[in-house]
């Protein structure tokens, strides 16, 4: 069993100094020598790094608007070439969230290759909303999302990557949190040959709280990569990042790079990030890299944990002592491990569908 | 009629300082329908015996045998032992995130019986067993042992005992941490399981109060990794009055 667990190290490039630009020409070509791309063989992008066309798939469910009073790029400009290619299309869909009792669902069904799709999501002041973005279909899709979480508002945003197994999706998701706002970001990545999600959070006011959760399962020759980033640029904010993954099969590869930056101004910050991976078979590779940069001593607490590989012996023994064979016990533990995140989506039918896919993958039926 | 025999059992654990022998020649025979109480000081190896019977990988049997109706239990994996009819109610039941009690119970029942139980009667049986143990129906949708109080965990263990219907059950301090009412409720669960399936019980405890509800046929005093004395129920009363001093020299 190959395991890759790194302690917190000095990041190869200080995250705060990373280039941001609207212009694809400002970015160097994608290579594995660039820290951002070091784990992703460029051919897996299937041309998304050269150029993209306007999205030709379908958007079903929650209504999107073609114009809004918000400026694309105002939360953040793209941080990499693929996202800049999307920005260059100059075609942003607006999603305005006021306040709703039940979760809203938007299905983003990809079709065709080299597609680009840009959203601007705005959660209004005092608004309390849950929005599920369910990515399905097939092809290659580059996505760029900006999310404005207004002062005193509460948003749960769920991004599900469940595409056909020949597909590629990259998604950059930049959120900015207003004063005393709450943002819960949940990522579930299970379907697609290559999945790369880069969620980034920064703050526009003090007293905000962010929770970033992830669940993923790679089998076959899937490459699933997540790079959450929390930029603590304001005082008295809290972040909690927790990603859980499972891997099965000798060619499965997952990557988790968790960056947390605590700037000088961010006194009273509380942050914790965690990544755990369970390896069901030999040869699967889980890279896990937590990076914590701290520029002020006046923080409340900062910690991180990363572990890949082992199942909890006591959990397995408990299940086996109830007659459940070891392999089935491991599957059950994995299901529970991922369901811990999936059960927070709040849409029972969708949760059941996702759990069903995970079960089928566990039993060796390729999605 | 089934029989569980433990013969000259020696068990070690790996420690940083090397292998350490904890059980030093345990002999014990339990037949269907019998109740054996094991009492002994902290650290004498009672849980080690319980885990060794259930097959926990941490414990290495270096000598001796465990036989279930003549079959060599030591060659079986923990799940095979459970399917052969052994059950361990744990001193510290483990939390399993993301798996609901109802899913867990159904999976375990299916594994033990070799086929899925018919849905309707199963749901009814679970509900009845939970009502008997005064467990709120909401527990079936909660994750296994997650956030359960000490007493709730113990009830959940006995719920499994009643539903999985083993031939022999080892109860490792099932009474610890139970309030007076819960002690009675849990004891009744054990007695129901014994009556229904002619269960053989190995009851590990520190207190005679549970023996008012679950009447032992035999009491074994466990000291320093083996049985130091055996007797009837009266032995438990003497232990309560005198403690273990006379065995510790
Ligand atoms: N991994 C280990 N390393 C070192 N010692 C161990 C290990 N596991 C068990 N032991 C020791 O074995 C002895 C027996 O432990 P066991 O849990 O079986 O006792 P017990 O009789 O159940 O005690 P209690 O009444 O407190 O539950 C103890 O001294 C314990 O510290
Ligand atoms: Mg013990």
């Amino acid at each position: 069993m190959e395991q890759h667990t790194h302690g917190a190290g000095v990041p190869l490039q200080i995250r705060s100094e990373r280039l941001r630009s609207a212009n694809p020409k400002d970015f160097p070509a994608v290579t594995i020598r660039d820290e951002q791309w070091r784990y992703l063989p460029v051919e897996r992008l299937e041309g998304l790094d050269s150029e993209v066309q306007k999205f030709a798939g379908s958007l079903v469910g929650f209504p999107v608007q073609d114009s809004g009073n918000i400026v694309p790029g105002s939360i953040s400009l793209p941080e990499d070439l693929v996202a800049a290619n999307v920005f260059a299309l100059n075609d942003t869909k607006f999603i305005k969230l006021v306040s709703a009792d039940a979760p809203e669902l938007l299905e983003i069904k990809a079709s065709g290759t080299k597609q680009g799709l840009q959203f601007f999501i705005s959660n209004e002041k005092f608004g309390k909303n849950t929005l599920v973005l369910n990515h399905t279909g097939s092809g290659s899709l580059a996505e760029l999302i900006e999310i404005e979480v207004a002062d005193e508002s509460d948003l749960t945003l769920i991004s599900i990557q469940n595409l056909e197994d020949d597909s590629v999706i990259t998604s950059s998701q930049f959120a900015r949190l207003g004063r005393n706002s709450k943002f819960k970001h949940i990522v579930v990545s299970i379907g697609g040959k290559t999945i790369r999600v880069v969620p980034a959070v920064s703050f526009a006011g003090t007293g905000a709280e962010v929770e970033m959760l992830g669940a993923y399962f790679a089998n076959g020759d899937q490459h699933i990569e997540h790079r959450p980033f929390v930029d603590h640029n304001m005082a008295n904010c809290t972040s909690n990042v927790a990603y859980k993954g499972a891997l099965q099969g000798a060619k499965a590869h997952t990557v988790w790079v968790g960056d947390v930056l605590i700037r000088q101004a961010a006194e009273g910050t509380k942050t914790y990030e965690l990544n755990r991976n369970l390896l069901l078979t030999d040869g699967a590779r889980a890279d896990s890299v937590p990076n914590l940069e701290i520029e002020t001593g006046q923080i409340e607490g900062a910690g991180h944990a990363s572990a890949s590989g082992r199942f909890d012996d006591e959990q397995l023994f408990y299940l086996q002592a109830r007659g459940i064979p070891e392999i089935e016990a491991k599957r059950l533990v994995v299901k529970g491990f991922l369901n811990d995140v999936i059960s927070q989506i709040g849409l029972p039918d969708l949760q059941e569908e996702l759990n069903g896919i995970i079960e089928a993958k566990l039993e060796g039926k390729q999605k | 009629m089934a029989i569980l025999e433990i013969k000259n059992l020696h068990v070690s654990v790996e420690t940083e300082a090397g292998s350490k022998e904890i059980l030093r020649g345990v002999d014990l025979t339990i037949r269907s329908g019998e109740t054996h109480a094991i009492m002994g000081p902290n650290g004498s190896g009672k849980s080690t015996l319980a885990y060794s019977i259930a097959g926990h990988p941490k414990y290495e049997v270096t000598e001796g045998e465990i036989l279930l109706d003549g079959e060599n239990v030591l060659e079986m994996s923990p799940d095979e032992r459970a399917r052969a009819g052994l059950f361990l109610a744990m001193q510290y039941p483990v939390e399993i995130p993301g798996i609901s009690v109802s899913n867990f119970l159904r999976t375990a029942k299916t594994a033990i019986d070799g086929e899925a139980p018919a849905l309707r009667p199963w749901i009814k049986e679970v509900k009845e067993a939970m009502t008997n143990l005064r467990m709120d129906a909401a527990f079936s949708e909660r994750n296994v042992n997650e956030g359960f109080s000490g007493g709730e965990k113990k009830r959940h263990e006995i719920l499994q005992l009643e539903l999985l219907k083993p031939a022999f059950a080892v109860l490792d301090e099932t009474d610890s941490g139970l309030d007076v009412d819960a002690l009675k409720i849990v004891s009744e669960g054990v007695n129901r399981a014994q009556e229904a399936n002619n269960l053989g019980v190995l009851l590990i405890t520190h207190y005679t109060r549970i023996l008012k509800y679950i009447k032992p046929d035999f009491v074994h005093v466990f000291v320093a990794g083996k049985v130091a004395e055996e007797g009837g129920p009266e032995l438990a009363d003497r232990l309560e009055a005198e403690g273990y001093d006379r065995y510790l020299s």
Side-chain angles (χ1 to χ4, degrees):
Chain A
M1 185 181 302
E2 212 173 335
Q3 291 179 29
H4 296 260
T5 304
H6 310 255
V10 179
L12 296 181
Q13 177 187 22
I14 300 294
R15 182 64 190 246
S16 53
E17 289 167 3
R18 188 173 286 174
L19 171 69
R20 292 183 176 193
S21 171
N23 187 351
K25 294 203 176 65
D26 289 343
F27 291 95
V30 172
T31 85
I32 53 165
R33 283 184 299 280
D34 183 346
E35 197 286 324
Q36 293 190 71
W37 300 106
R38 68 184 276 207
Y39 296 101
L40 190 75
V42 63
E43 58 279 5
R44 278 193 171 263
L45 289 172
E46 296 190 358
L48 291 172
D49 54 323
S50 61
E51 60 169 347
V52 294
Q53 298 137 28
K54 281 190 186 175
F55 182 66
S58 59
L59 300 176
V60 185
F62 194 77
V64 302
Q65 294 154 22
D66 284 328
S67 65
N69 53 0
I70 316 142
V71 184
S74 59
I75 304 279
S76 174
L77 290 171
E79 276 194 343
D80 64 57
L81 176 57
V82 175
N85 285 340
V86 179
F87 198 86
L89 290 172
N90 193 21
D91 177 30
T92 304
K93 316 265 182 231
F94 293 90
I95 296 177
K96 191 171 155 174
L97 300 167
V98 183
S99 220
D101 295 330
E104 306 283 2
L105 176 63
L106 176 62
E107 185 176 352
I108 300 163
K109 190 163 186 194
S111 74
T113 56
K114 296 217 255 179
Q115 312 267 298
L117 183 58
Q118 186 171 0
F119 289 107
F120 197 113
I121 299 170
S122 133
N123 194 53
E124 298 221 318
K125 194 167 179 182
F126 303 120
K128 188 172 184 331
N129 291 288
T130 296
L131 177 66
V132 181
L133 303 177
N134 190 18
H135 299 90
T136 62
S138 78
S140 52
L141 174 63
E143 190 180 51
L144 172 59
I145 306 178
E146 289 172 85
I147 307 137
E148 174 92 82
V149 184
D151 291 354
E152 318 283 343
S153 78
D154 183 330
L155 175 63
T156 298
L157 182 71
I158 297 151
S159 182
I160 297 165
Q161 288 62 243
N162 184 21
L163 293 93
E164 299 302 321
D165 55 15
D166 58 349
S167 307
V168 182
I169 181 167
T170 68
S171 185
S172 289
Q173 308 187 356
F174 295 98
R176 187 171 59 199
L177 276 54
R179 185 169 42 84
N180 295 338
S181 65
K182 282 201 170 105
F183 182 48
K184 185 163 172 178
H185 186 261
I186 303 179
V187 174
V188 178
S189 296
I190 50 177
K193 183 171 192 241
T194 303
I195 300 172
R196 183 178 196 264
V197 182
V198 185
V201 167
S202 65
F203 300 87
T206 59
E209 284 173 29
V210 58
E211 196 178 357
M212 301 171 86
L213 306 178
Y216 50 93
F217 185 176
N219 69 347
D221 65 347
Q222 279 186 300
H223 174 109
I224 300 182
E225 177 164 338
H226 297 104
R227 291 174 167 261
F229 173 40
V230 184
D231 185 352
H232 277 282
N233 55 337
M234 287 277 169
N236 301 321
C237 294
T238 302
S239 63
N240 182 28
V241 182
Y243 275 64
K244 296 175 171 186
L247 296 88
Q248 177 172 277
K251 287 195 206 144
H253 186 193
T254 65
V255 176
W256 181 85
V257 180
D259 290 334
V260 173
L261 168 64
I262 305 174
R263 294 183 195 257
Q264 201 114 47
E267 293 182 358
T269 291
K270 233 168 96 184
T271 175
Y272 193 79
E273 56 168 349
L274 167 136
N275 177 228
R276 273 194 67 198
N277 296 292
L278 291 177
L279 283 75
L280 282 149
T281 48
D282 290 351
R285 173 175 170 145
D287 286 293
S288 181
V289 188
N291 288 315
L292 189 55
E293 310 168 44
I294 306 178
E295 294 175 354
T296 171
Q298 308 292 100
I299 58 171
E300 258 198 41
H304 64 80
S306 157
S308 293
R310 288 190 54 75
F311 281 81
D312 182 321
D313 282 344
E314 301 305 320
Q315 283 183 356
L316 289 184
F317 175 70
Y318 189 77
L319 295 170
Q320 283 189 268
R322 299 305 179 243
I324 301 167
E326 183 178 357
I327 178 72
E328 209 186 316
K330 283 185 172 174
R331 288 175 184 161
L332 203 57
V333 167
V334 165
K335 262 195 281 182
F337 183 65
L338 301 178
N339 184 46
D340 222 21
V341 175
I342 289 171
S343 62
Q344 301 191 39
I345 293 173
L347 295 170
D349 290 352
L350 186 56
Q351 287 168 209
E352 210 168 298
E353 186 193 332
L354 295 172
N355 281 322
I357 292 167
I358 287 167
E359 203 155 322
K361 285 178 109 176
L362 280 166
E363 277 156 20
K365 301 173 197 129
Q366 286 272 346
K367 179 192 134 75
Chain B
M1 178 61 123
I3 179 164
L4 178 65
E5 297 165 283
I6 298 162
K7 296 181 179 169
N8 188 32
L9 191 70
H10 289 252
V11 171
S12 298
V13 292
E14 274 316 310
T15 71
E16 273 159 26
S19 172
K20 177 181 167 189
E21 183 165 69
I22 296 173
L23 298 188
R24 304 189 170 105
V26 179
D27 290 292
L28 209 56
T29 298
I30 309 165
R31 291 178 177 78
S32 293
E34 293 178 352
T35 299
H36 294 244
I38 290 191
M39 305 184 80
N42 295 131
S44 56
K46 304 180 298 297
S47 291
T48 302
L49 174 64
Y51 277 126
S52 302
I53 294 170
H56 194 295
K58 193 171 99 179
Y59 300 94
E60 193 203 346
V61 175
T62 54
E63 207 184 323
E65 296 182 290
I66 304 179
L67 303 172
L68 175 59
D69 290 334
E71 296 273 338
N72 184 356
V73 168
L74 296 177
E75 280 179 356
M76 302 179 195
S77 61
D79 51 298
E80 285 170 342
R81 296 180 196 204
R83 294 198 296 275
L86 300 179
F87 181 89
L88 168 62
M90 294 187 206
Q91 188 174 0
Y92 303 108
V94 186
E95 300 186 359
I96 320 242
I99 296 296
S100 69
V101 166
S102 70
N103 182 0
F104 163 68
L105 292 175
R106 200 174 351 96
T107 307
K109 184 68 177 173
T110 304
I112 297 272
D113 288 4
E115 58 178 352
L119 204 57
R120 288 261 196 108
W122 172 247
I123 289 172
K124 188 161 164 268
E125 193 182 346
V126 172
K127 214 173 138 192
E128 251 171 46
M130 288 179 74
T131 309
N132 284 335
L133 288 165
R134 313 278 199 286
M135 289 178 79
D136 195 284
F139 274 98
S140 53
E141 290 320 307
R142 286 177 61 178
N143 293 334
V144 174
N145 293 322
E146 204 175 64
F148 287 23
S149 75
E152 288 163 354
K153 283 181 182 164
K154 298 301 176 73
R155 286 180 208 220
H156 181 226
E157 295 292 286
I158 301 308
L159 175 68
Q160 296 167 53
L161 170 67
E162 287 202 68
L163 293 170
L164 299 180
K165 309 190 193 322
F168 291 97
V170 181
L171 310 179
D172 191 1
E173 294 200 28
T174 298
D175 54 335
S176 294
L178 293 181
D179 65 43
V180 280
D181 297 330
L183 181 69
K184 189 158 174 280
I185 290 163
V186 160
S187 300
E188 285 166 2
V190 175
N191 291 334
R192 268 195 306 274
Q194 185 156 46
E195 260 164 50
N197 315 307
N198 202 23
L199 176 73
V201 175
L202 187 61
L203 179 78
I204 297 171
T205 183
H206 286 294
Y207 308 105
T208 51
R209 51 173 207 167
I210 193 174
L211 304 181
K212 287 206 289 275
Y213 301 109
I214 303 175
K215 298 272 184 235
D217 302 301
F218 306 93
V219 173
H220 310 265
V221 185
F222 209 75
V223 181
K226 55 193 205 198
V227 177
E229 192 177 357
E230 295 175 303
E234 72 291 342
L235 181 54
D237 296 324
R238 204 180 75 209
L239 288 173
E240 179 133 285
E242 298 174 9
Y244 299 109
D245 270 358
R246 53 183 301 191
Y247 303 104
L248 306 165
S249 50

